[in-house]
Amino acid sequence: MIRQIASSSPVPPEQQPANEYEELKNSWLFYWVTLERPNYLRKLVWVWVWSWLVSGPVAAASFPPEKYLVQFLLSGSAGASLILILVLLRLYLGWNYVRSRLANTKVFYEESGWYDGQTWLKTPEEITKDRLILQYQVQPLLQRLRKTFSSFTLLIFMGGIIWLCL
């Protein structure tokens, strides 16, 4: 059943796409993508450095640093990057979900649980508002995450070439 959303929308506020965007934008992990570039990169480096607590000992067990320093550094960096890539993937999936909710002309919501979902049509004003948020707020964040993934792909590729040259 599809109905037009009235000014007093039956969609719970926490399930309205614009509110989901605001909630995501203000949440601890997801706000990182909204930071200025130096602060965003600082957060990513922070995750990568702390990931060395896991990847460093594993790399040291495989390649003792005193004997295979370059292999130790490359494998430890790759392990730390894997953890960072998982964090970036979580960021991308969260922002992409909000992107799809903002882009849709219909809002699916749950009244009291997973078993009683409803679909409502957005008003033309809500569609316009959501598309503006999408175009000027969310799409640039997704583009930033895509560029970050591309950069990491290049770095991992370069690390693989260095590994092959050893």
Side-chain angles (χ1 to χ4, degrees):
M1 180 169 152
I2 299 176
R3 296 187 185 159
Q4 187 74 19
I5 296 178
S7 59
S8 60
S9 171
V11 178
E14 67 275 3
Q15 294 181 41
Q16 293 175 6
N19 293 341
E20 288 175 323
Y21 160 74
E22 287 296 327
E23 184 179 333
L24 195 67
K25 182 178 77 169
N26 296 324
S27 68
W28 174 75
L29 178 65
F30 293 95
Y31 92 93
W32 290 6
V33 186
T34 66
L35 295 172
E36 294 294 323
R37 185 180 178 139
N39 293 331
Y40 168 68
L41 294 176
R42 191 173 299 123
K43 294 281 188 183
L44 297 182
V45 168
W46 180 83
V47 170
W48 185 79
V49 167
W50 279 99
S51 298
W52 265 90
L53 290 176
V54 174
S55 66
V58 173
S62 302
F63 303 102
E66 60 278 354
K67 193 172 181 181
Y68 303 104
L69 181 61
V70 175
Q71 288 90 340
F72 164 73
L73 291 173
L74 286 173
S75 62
S77 295
S81 295
L82 178 64
I83 294 170
L84 180 57
I85 286 171
L86 292 175
V87 169
L88 287 169
L89 183 62
R90 179 64 188 113
L91 289 170
Y92 185 82
L93 292 173
W95 283 109
N96 195 51
Y97 171 76
V98 167
R99 182 208 57 79
S100 67
R101 295 278 288 172
L102 289 166
N104 267 334
T105 58
K106 300 173 190 167
V107 177
F108 177 79
Y109 75 98
E110 299 167 355
E111 288 182 306
S112 60
W114 60 268
Y115 50 85
D116 64 348
Q118 297 285 330
T119 303
W120 295 81
L121 290 176
K122 295 178 185 177
T123 63
E125 295 81 20
E126 287 174 331
I127 291 171
T128 302
K129 179 183 72 169
D130 287 355
R131 297 261 164 93
L132 286 171
I133 292 170
L134 174 64
Q135 183 175 1
Y136 293 105
Q137 302 295 325
V138 177
Q139 291 290 44
L141 301 178
L142 289 170
Q143 185 63 30
R144 173 183 264 186
L145 287 167
R146 284 187 206 105
K147 286 180 182 178
T148 305
F149 276 117
S150 299
S151 299
F152 271 105
T153 301
L154 181 63
L155 287 173
I156 290 172
F157 182 72
M158 289 173 24
I161 289 174
I162 293 170
W163 185 273
L164 290 174
C165 292
L166 295 177

